[in-house]
């Protein structure tokens, strides 16, 4: 297993280089002058604008800017944002907020997906199963920003159950409404996958043998069926993480969550290259490491799996 882990960790290097190069080029190719955009309609003298451009090396060729950024990353220096604050400080302030939001959303989404998915598989083709599939299809079809604005209006403004915006109240309780919004964006596909996997597992011969030996449903479902049905869902978690990050950016912007997604959105509007590339780089590294963790979980769910 040690060789397998080492090989997967080394795969982070080309992924890291490719992702940072692509993102840096996309930001570099964006039209407009980011320095002039910082001042809006009240433009300072050109000499002052040129000083800022020189500070951030914006007049240098693309490859020079990229190599300079890459050398800074190797020194754990993510650069300085256009507001004068080091990007690493911005990341340290916003990442815990997004992490809390992601943990709440994942617990809600996958907890509900497992419960509803297994129940729908057990009561297949009943009114409950059909109703849950229809609800899942609705959440698959509706974009996350529509769900977010709807929840914000009804549960935040009309009913007053939650605060319409998060702001400084970004503790666990303050993130419940955006977490629900984000959870529903990944719940639907996970529930359907859990249902299909559970139905397939329930049809296996060893499940019928377990029932034939007199084991109760309370024993067979959680111990034997659920454990084997979770493998496809664990695989799907890596894909869902990408959806989670995109959804977090939109959700944080809607609910004014001071997290990574909202900060990244504001940085894109300002063409703030150091912040954009650094944040996306962190996303890529976390994504790769999470998929490595998911691969290692296979061995816990199915002892027959071996790593080479």
């Amino acid at each position: 297993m040690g060789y397998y882990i080492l090989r997967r960790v080394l795969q982070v290097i080309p992924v890291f280089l490719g992702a940072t190069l692509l993102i840096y080029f996309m930001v570099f190719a964006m039209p407009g002058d980011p320095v002039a955009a910082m001042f809006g309609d009240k433009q300072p003298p050109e000499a002052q604008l040129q000083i800022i451009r020189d500070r951030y090396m914006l007049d240098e060729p693309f490859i020079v800017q990229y190599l300079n950024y890459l050398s800074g990353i190797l020194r754990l220096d993510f650069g300085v944002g256009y507001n004068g604050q080091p990007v690493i400080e911005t990341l340290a302030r916003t990442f815990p907020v997004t992490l809390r939001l992601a943990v709440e959303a994942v617990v809600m989404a996958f907890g509900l997906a497992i419960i509803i998915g297994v129940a729908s598989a057990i009561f297949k083709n009943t009114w409950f199963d059909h109703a849950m599939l229809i609800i899942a299809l609705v959440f698959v079809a509706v974009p996350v920003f529509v769900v977010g604005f709807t929840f914000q209006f009804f549960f935040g403004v009309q009913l007053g159950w939650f605060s319409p915006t998060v702001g400084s109240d970004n503790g666990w309780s303050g993130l419940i409404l955006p977490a629900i919004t984000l959870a529903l964006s990944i719940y639907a596909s996970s529930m359907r996958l859990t249902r299909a996997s559970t139905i397939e597992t329930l049809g296996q011969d060893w499940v019928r043998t377990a029932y034939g030996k007199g084991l109760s449903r309370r024993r067979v479902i959680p111990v034997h069926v659920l454990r084997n049905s979770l493998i496809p869902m664990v695989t799907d978690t890596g894909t869902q993480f990408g959806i989670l990050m995109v959804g977090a950016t939109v959700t944080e912007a809607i609910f004014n969550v001071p997290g990574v997604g909202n900060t990244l959105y504001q940085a894109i509007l300002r063409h703030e290259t150091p912040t954009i590339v650094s944040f996306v780089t962190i996303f890529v590294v976390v994504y790769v490491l999470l998929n490595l963790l998911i691969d290692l979980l296979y061995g816990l769910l199915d002892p027959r799996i071996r790593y080479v």
Side-chain angles (χ1 to χ4, degrees):
M1 180 182 293
Y3 173 74
Y4 174 80
I5 295 176
L6 177 62
R7 188 179 62 185
R8 289 297 304 272
V9 170
L10 291 177
Q11 290 177 357
V12 176
I13 298 176
V15 173
F16 167 80
L17 293 175
T20 54
L21 179 63
L22 178 61
I23 297 301
Y24 209 100
F25 175 76
M26 293 175 64
V27 177
F28 180 84
M30 292 174 67
D33 185 354
V35 176
M38 292 169 55
F39 297 93
D41 296 331
K42 299 181 179 180
Q43 293 291 310
E46 180 63 28
Q48 184 175 348
L49 295 178
Q50 189 60 42
I51 292 175
I52 300 177
R53 295 190 188 100
D54 294 340
R55 178 184 178 186
Y56 292 98
M57 303 180 63
L58 297 180
D59 287 336
E60 297 291 340
F62 162 72
I63 191 63
V64 174
Q65 294 188 38
Y66 174 71
L67 292 178
N68 180 69
Y69 170 79
L70 200 60
S71 64
I73 290 292
L74 297 178
R75 301 191 306 269
L76 298 181
D77 179 10
F78 290 86
V80 180
Y82 292 167
N83 58 358
Q85 186 177 28
V87 175
I88 190 66
E89 293 183 6
T90 304
L91 187 63
R93 184 184 71 252
T94 57
F95 188 78
V97 180
T98 298
L99 183 61
R100 286 195 294 271
L101 176 61
V103 169
E104 287 192 34
V106 167
V107 170
M108 293 179 186
F110 291 117
L112 193 61
I114 291 173
I115 295 173
I116 301 299
V118 172
S120 295
I122 295 174
F123 303 105
K124 184 178 65 172
N125 295 329
T126 63
W127 67 268
F128 175 82
D129 181 31
H130 295 314
M132 292 302 102
L133 285 176
I134 291 174
I135 293 174
L137 288 174
V138 170
F139 286 117
V140 168
V142 178
V144 64
F145 68 88
V146 175
V147 177
F149 282 123
T150 302
F151 282 14
Q152 186 183 52
F153 178 75
F154 283 103
F155 298 117
V157 178
Q158 295 294 320
L159 299 178
W161 292 355
F162 305 95
S163 174
T165 58
V166 174
S168 60
D169 183 21
N170 51 56
W172 294 99
S173 59
L175 294 171
I176 291 179
L177 188 57
I180 294 174
T181 302
L182 193 56
L184 292 177
S185 67
I186 60 177
Y187 152 76
S189 59
S190 298
M191 188 281 288
R192 297 177 64 190
L193 183 63
T194 302
R195 175 186 178 273
S197 179
T198 304
I199 290 175
E200 181 180 358
T201 304
L202 287 172
Q204 298 296 320
D205 292 337
W206 51 268
V207 175
R208 289 190 289 267
T209 301
Y211 281 124
K213 290 181 177 180
L215 296 179
S216 64
R217 176 177 287 180
R218 290 184 178 180
R219 175 70 178 176
V220 173
I221 297 298
V223 176
H224 300 285
V225 174
L226 183 58
R227 182 175 180 180
N228 287 273
S229 301
L230 284 179
I231 293 180
M233 186 175 177
V234 169
T235 305
D236 185 59
T237 304
T239 304
Q240 294 292 357
F241 179 78
I243 300 175
L244 185 70
M245 287 298 97
V246 175
T249 303
V250 177
T251 304
E252 288 183 5
I254 294 173
F255 292 96
N256 192 29
V257 179
V260 173
N262 195 15
T263 304
L264 179 61
Y265 172 72
Q266 297 299 328
I268 292 174
L269 295 180
R270 298 191 300 266
H271 297 191
E272 196 168 314
T273 305
T275 303
I276 297 173
V277 181
S278 298
F279 277 36
V280 174
T281 299
I282 297 299
F283 284 166
V284 170
V285 173
V286 173
Y287 182 84
V288 173
L289 295 180
L290 179 63
N291 277 270
L292 172 61
L293 178 61
I294 290 172
D295 288 346
L296 297 178
L297 284 177
Y298 292 157
L300 297 177
L301 295 174
D302 190 346
R304 296 171 299 177
I305 296 178
R306 294 291 181 268
Y307 299 99
V308 294

